[in-house]
Amino acid sequence: MMMLYGKKFYNKYKDYILFNKNIIIAGTAALIVGTFFTQFYAQQNKNNFLNAIVTLLVEYAIYIPLFGLFYYFDNRDKYVDPLSGKKNYAIIKNDIIKLFAIFSISEIIYAVSKVSIHFQLMQLSFEPYEASMIGSFTAWFIFLVVINYGAKFVKLFKSSNV
């Protein structure tokens, strides 16, 4: 009974589960690289605000390509017409526009939250890696809430009954 419920739940929310999985895996990779980078950068430059900004850019350099790759692999069948076997560029374009819209808003919120928290914690004498991790986790929480509501709002996953 519980297995049936779990499978039913997964099938209902599959697109959102995969979407969030991709965000979390790509975000974790970015967090790890960002944590090491911020500590290294702090030894080279004592400007805490610059450290927070540059670390954010390094994290984005890891996160965005990884997320794009994972999202593509999870959704590539969605973009192929089952009858002709050809890519449906109208669906691809529509999803890119929706992804751009929800990521634009969510990433602005993430960036402002992450940099603000990272900077403030470094001003309070936290170790750079601690400030980066705390800032990232806090900003991630806010980001995940906003991006999931955004995905629902723009109907990124039409087949989901959410």
Side-chain angles (χ1 to χ4, degrees), residues 52-111:
I53 295 287
V54 175
T55 300
L56 179 69
L57 295 175
V58 167
E59 289 177 357
Y60 277 144
I62 303 297
Y63 171 77
I64 292 172
L66 280 178
F67 173 81
L69 187 67
F70 295 150
Y71 184 83
Y72 171 75
F73 284 139
D74 283 345
N75 292 284
R76 63 182 164 211
D77 295 337
K78 173 181 168 181
Y79 303 118
V80 177
D81 185 332
L83 299 176
S84 69
K86 294 182 179 180
K87 288 184 181 177
N88 186 332
Y89 289 102
I91 294 174
I92 294 170
K93 180 183 174 187
N94 192 31
D95 276 5
I96 288 172
I97 291 168
K98 289 176 180 180
L99 284 167
F100 183 78
I102 62 175
F103 269 97
S104 294
I105 295 164
S106 301
E107 291 296 346
I108 289 169
I109 293 168
Y110 174 84

Side-chain angles (χ1 to χ4, degrees), residues 25-42:
I25 293 171
T28 301
L31 172 73
I32 291 167
V33 172
T35 300
F36 284 109
F37 177 81
T38 192
Q39 194 67 33
F40 169 77
Y41 192 82

